[in-house]
């Protein structure tokens, strides 16, 4: 009864429209763990399972972060998020004869399972050369999934970045809207994107995928009684999300990853010869003339 009395259900909403914010990020500051709202913007916290002086910060792309002490959270609470001002430079495309071009035609791949556990935010990213030499908007994206888990869908939030030429790694995030896709089959999954949402420069695009551990997934994980059971459960690939990686030979093409809000790290080199990165393809609309 005491545990039930400590359970709090809250909801994250757009302050101006009242629309629920799907898969908003929850950061528990003392524990440095991550959670997400569900598809309707709800999340649950068992207050007696967290330090009394802990706090939770709510983040969503394009909105101002909000933080609360655990003690201040009440059942049925609505958290209204204010949109942040966007100061992105405008992109101007002149009238021209347009054609589609595929970025990253490489076909080699390996199977690699990623995902450290449901309390960790994982983003994988890499740089993809635009060999057309022409800029354009990304019309669609394809990702190669070696999915074994059948019972749960895997939301993936799309992110994009600038490139740090000094350190040869992803740099400032340029993402200005929340685009979430749902891989639906083993193999190549194709997703059409909102018109004029993602700009691809004439040299390369730096792209990332945020794998979202849904509340349903975390609930299944939390039912396990001890750490050995959790390790065994995570080692069962039926319970894991997977993404096909591909071999590349150049260090500048290597993939990177970020856990929670820690520093960006590069994937280890394979066989002293190859680097790996997510197997992604992009269709961009470019000017033919």
């Amino acid at each position: 009864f005491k545990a039930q009395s400590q359970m709090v259900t809250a909801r994250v909403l757009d302050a101006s429209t009242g629309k629920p914010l799907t898969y908003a990020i929850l950061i528990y500051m003392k524990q440095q763990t991550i959670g997400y709202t569900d598809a309707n913007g709800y999340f649950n916290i068992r207050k007696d399972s967290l330090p009394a002086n802990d706090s939770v910060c709510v983040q969503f792309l394009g909105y101002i972060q909000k933080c609360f002490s655990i003690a201040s959270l009440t059942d049925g609470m609505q958290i209204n998020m204010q949109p942040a001002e966007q100061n992105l430079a405008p992109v101007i495309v002149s009238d021209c004869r347009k054609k589609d071009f595929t970025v990253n035609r490489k076909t080699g791949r390996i199977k690699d399972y990623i995902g450290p556990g449901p309390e960790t935010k994982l983003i994988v990213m890499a740089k993809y050369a635009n060999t057309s030499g022409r800029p354009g908007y990304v019309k669609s994206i394809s990702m190669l999934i070696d999915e074994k888990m059948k019972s749960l869908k895997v939301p993936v939030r799309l992110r994009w970045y600038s490139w740090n030429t000094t350190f040869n790694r992803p740099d400032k995030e340029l993402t200005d809207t929340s685009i979430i896709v749902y891989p639906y089959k083993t193999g190549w999954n194709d997703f059409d994107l909102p018109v004029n949402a993602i700009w691809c420069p004439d040299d390369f695009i730096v792209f990332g995928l945020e794998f979202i551990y849904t509340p349903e997934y975390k609930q299944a994980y939390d039912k396990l009684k001890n750490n050995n059971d959790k390790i065994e459960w995570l080692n069962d690939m039926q319970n894991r999300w997977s993404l096909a990686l591909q071999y590349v030979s150049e260090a500048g093409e290597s993939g990177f990853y970020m856990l929670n809000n820690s520093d960006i790290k590069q994937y280890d080199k394979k066989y002293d010869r190859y680097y790996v990165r997510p197997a992604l393809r992009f269709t961009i609309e470019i000017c033919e003339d």
Side-chain angles (χ1 to χ4, degrees), residues 229-241:
D229 289 343
K230 291 181 178 181
I231 292 172
E232 183 176 348
W233 190 79
L234 287 171
N235 285 335
D236 181 354
M237 293 307 159
Q238 294 291 332
N239 298 320
R240 296 288 291 276
W241 304 340

Side-chain angles (χ1 to χ4, degrees), residues 169-224:
R169 60 191 300 174
D171 199 17
K172 180 181 178 182
E173 183 168 4
L174 304 177
T175 315
D176 63 337
T177 186
S178 185
I179 302 176
I180 298 175
V181 298
Y182 298 81
Y184 50 90
K185 65 178 181 179
T186 299
W188 285 101
N189 288 246
D190 303 319
F191 304 100
D192 292 330
L193 300 181
V195 176
N196 298 347
I198 304 175
W199 178 250
C200 179
D202 59 7
D203 46 4
F204 53 78
I205 185 170
V206 185
F207 212 80
L209 306 175
E210 175 191 343
F211 286 79
I212 296 174
Y213 293 89
T214 63
E216 294 83 2
Y217 183 93
K218 189 175 186 306
Q219 288 168 9
Y221 183 79
D222 287 343
K223 288 179 181 178
L224 302 174

Side-chain angles (χ1 to χ4, degrees), residues 14 40 66 105 119 224 239 241 261:
D14 181 300
N40 296 305
K66 277 194 171 184
R105 296 179 180 273
E119 295 182 338
L224 302 174
N239 298 320
W241 304 340
N261 292 332

Side-chain angles (χ1 to χ4, degrees), residues 264-277:
I264 295 173
K265 297 181 180 180
Q266 188 174 16
Y267 273 111
D268 292 334
K269 200 172 184 180
K270 301 287 186 180
Y271 311 120
D272 293 325
R273 291 191 302 157
Y274 296 108
Y275 299 88
V276 295
R277 69 178 180 186

Side-chain angles (χ1 to χ4, degrees), residues 13-231:
L13 305 169
D14 181 300
S16 58
T17 66
K19 179 181 177 181
L21 297 184
T22 299
Y23 303 126
I25 300 168
L26 311 169
I27 303 176
Y28 302 98
M29 302 307 291
K30 292 288 185 182
Q31 296 179 317
Q32 281 298 294
T33 57
I34 299 291
Y36 291 91
T37 61
D38 65 15
N40 296 305
Y42 288 101
F43 68 94
N44 299 311
I45 291 180
R46 192 178 296 280
K47 293 175 67 173
D48 57 352
S49 68
L50 297 170
N53 62 345
D54 203 351
S55 59
V56 58
C57 289
V58 184
Q59 296 179 348
F60 196 82
L61 290 170
Y63 291 79
I64 300 171
Q65 174 178 282
K66 277 194 171 184
C67 296
F68 305 88
S69 67
I70 293 298
S72 69
L73 291 174
T74 58
D75 194 42
M77 182 176 179
Q78 290 190 353
I79 300 173
N80 296 309
M81 303 286 285
Q82 295 288 343
E85 292 185 5
Q86 300 293 335
N87 296 312
L88 299 179
V91 176
I92 300 175
V93 181
S94 59
D95 292 335
C96 65
R97 187 170 57 185
K98 295 181 174 63
K99 65 177 286 188
D100 290 346
F101 180 84
T102 301
V103 172
N104 190 28
R105 296 179 180 273
K106 293 183 179 180
T107 57
R109 70 169 184 173
I110 58 175
K111 293 184 178 181
D112 206 338
Y113 299 95
I114 56 179
E119 295 182 338
T120 303
K121 181 176 71 170
L122 171 68
I123 302 176
V124 294
M125 58 198 82
K127 181 174 73 172
Y128 300 85
N130 178 3
T131 53
S132 74
R134 298 173 181 268
Y137 281 105
V138 182
K139 292 181 61 178
S140 64
I141 181 174
S142 301
M143 62 182 67
L144 186 57
I145 298 294
D146 287 318
E147 188 58 69
K148 294 187 179 298
M149 184 172 61
K150 305 299 182 183
S151 58
L152 296 175
K153 299 297 182 182
V154 186
V156 179
R157 182 177 276 122
L158 308 184
R159 295 178 176 269
W160 50 101
Y161 304 82
S162 63
W163 184 258
N164 188 316
T165 56
T166 302
F167 298 101
N168 289 320
R169 60 191 300 174
D171 199 17
K172 180 181 178 182
E173 183 168 4
L174 304 177
T175 315
D176 63 337
T177 186
S178 185
I179 302 176
I180 298 175
V181 298
Y182 298 81
Y184 50 90
K185 65 178 181 179
T186 299
W188 285 101
N189 288 246
D190 303 319
F191 304 100
D192 292 330
L193 300 181
V195 176
N196 298 347
I198 304 175
W199 178 250
C200 179
D202 59 7
D203 46 4
F204 53 78
I205 185 170
V206 185
F207 212 80
L209 306 175
E210 175 191 343
F211 286 79
I212 296 174
Y213 293 89
T214 63
E216 294 83 2
Y217 183 93
K218 189 175 186 306
Q219 288 168 9
Y221 183 79
D222 287 343
K223 288 179 181 178
L224 302 174
K225 296 181 179 180
N226 55 59
N227 287 335
N228 288 335
D229 289 343
K230 291 181 178 181
I231 292 172

